[in-house]
């Protein structure tokens, strides 16, 4: 009966609304530690249009498949990829890193991965799922991979070297040009984890910031992963693994009876088209110039945040490379809990004795001003100032 049906709908939505009021939201802007943000409005619209599409069976959705191809082409151009390159859409940095290491393992039949100490914890998952061994390389005083410590760790069992372009904790960039040379000399696979930095670094270059190259311009770079749901300003879950040689996809393909395509590459079967349509729509709408303006604004907010941090007597770990700041704190977890009680969410990095602030698109100067007042008071209450 329609009235019963309406009542049921109302009840369900009442429950959903109650759940949602318990969440933090990006639009109330009290989230300062996340690497995600409120998706661009165009992403939301596009996502909903493609809700039922599934690229696990691409012949059913050739239109969505076309958008995927165009989106990948945007990234390959942005990353100066050769004509032989391709891309594979994934759910984010974790799947991007797993897929890259899967390719490296299949190509080399070896199982040791050389990673910086700053590598994302997804590499611990890789070690466990794929039975690979991590060789952790210490960082320099600038929190980047110490290139001098790598060569002696290369053995006949090394499958890949990993570099981070925009580290999770501080947004630093490893010395990728030097790593590229080294991997070329040693014939080693080099994966760049640019989950965060991939949508930042090209535009920092454009804005005149001095940051190292990180992409396929460097001959030694084999794969790059980048997330649209981080600085791509789109909806979760969506990342791309860019791959220098398209035939490497065969290494991670299996026969796929029952679906319309004969083989399927990658980890997932069912693959949502919504995030892909959303990510494509944002890139098409913003274009290169729109992202340049976005990165410029995020960097200005970062510089403003840094200035206000020092004004209240705190200090940053080092000058920020991108829109990520580490703020020195004696007891980060205690401070993060105290800030959370007051409705502000930042992340604790205990081993660096700092809190991580990420100036995502939803963070404005006004938010910084509001936060600084709360931060100062909370630091005083917790013996940090
Ligand atoms: N690689 C790097 C360099 C990353 O920073 C991250 C995530 C990943 C890979 C993995 O990406 P996915 O989580 O998309 O698979 N870095 C953030 C972090 O761990 C993720 C994050 C995002 C955390 C939003 C909190 C949050 O609210 O800090």
């Amino acid at each position: 009966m329609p009235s019963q049906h309406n009542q049921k709908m109302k009840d369900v939505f009442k429950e959903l609304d109650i759940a949602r009021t318990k969440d933090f939201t990006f639009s109330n802007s009290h989230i300062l530690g996340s690497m995600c943000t409120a998706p661009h409005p165009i992403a939301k619209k596009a996502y909903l249009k493609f809700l039922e599409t599934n690229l696990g069976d691409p012949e059913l959705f050739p239109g969505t498949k076309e958008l995927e191809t165009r989106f990948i082409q945007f990234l390959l151009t942005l990353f100066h990829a050769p004509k032989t390159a391709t891309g594979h859409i994934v759910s984010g940095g974790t799947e991007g890193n797993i897929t890259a290491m899967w390719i490296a393992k299949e190509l080399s039949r070896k199982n040791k991965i050389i990673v910086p100490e700053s590598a994302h914890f997804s590499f611990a998952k890789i070690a466990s799922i794929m039975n690979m061994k991590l060789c952790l390389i210490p960082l320099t005083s600038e929190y980047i991979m110490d290139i001098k410590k790598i060569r002696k760790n290369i053995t006949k069992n090394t499958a890949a070297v990993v570099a981070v372009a925009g580290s999770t904790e501080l947004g630093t960039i490893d010395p990728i040009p030097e790593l590229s040379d080294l991997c070329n000399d040693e014939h080693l696979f080099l994966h760049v984890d640019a989950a965060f930095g991939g949508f930042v670094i090209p535009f920092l270059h454009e804005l005149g910031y001095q940051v190292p190259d990180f992409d396929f311009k460097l001959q030694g770079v084999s794969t790059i992963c980048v997330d649209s749901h981080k600085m791509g300003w789109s909806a979760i879950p969506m990342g791309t693994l860019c791959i220098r040689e398209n035939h490497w996809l065969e290494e991670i393909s299996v026969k796929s009876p029952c679906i319309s395509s004969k083989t399927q590459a990658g980890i997932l079967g069912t693959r949502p088209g919504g995030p892909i349509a959303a990510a494509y729509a944002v890139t098409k709408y913003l274009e290169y110039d729109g992202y340049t303006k976005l990165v410029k604004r995020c960097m200005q907010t970062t510089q403003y945040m840094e200035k206000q941090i020092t004004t209240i007597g705190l200090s940053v770990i080092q000058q920020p490379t991108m829109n990520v700041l580490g703020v020195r704190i004696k007891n980060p977890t205690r401070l993060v809990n105290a800030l959370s009680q007051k409705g502000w969410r930042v992340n604790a990095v205990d081993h660096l004795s700092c809190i991580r602030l990420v100036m995502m698109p939803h963070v404005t100067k006004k938010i910084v001003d509001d936060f600084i007042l709360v931060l100062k008071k909370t630091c005083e209450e917790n013996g940090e100032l």
Side-chain angles (χ1 to χ4, degrees), residues 56-67:
D57 199 358
E59 270 75 3
L60 289 186
F61 304 102
T64 314
K65 181 78 194 155
E66 266 175 39
L67 297 184

Side-chain angles (χ1 to χ4, degrees), residues 26 31 33-37 91-97 118-123 125 164-169 193-197 225 227 229-230 236-238 347 356:
F26 294 107
I31 302 176
S34 175
M35 289 191 153
C36 292
T37 190
S91 55
T94 300
E95 193 191 331
N97 287 335
S118 55
H120 184 256
F121 57 80
S122 46
F123 284 93
K125 298 183 186 181
V164 187
S167 67
T168 307
E169 287 156 349
D193 179 355
F196 187 79
C225 71
D227 284 353
H229 64 224
K230 293 189 170 77
I236 60 167
M238 158 86 186
N347 293 38
R356 177 187 80 178

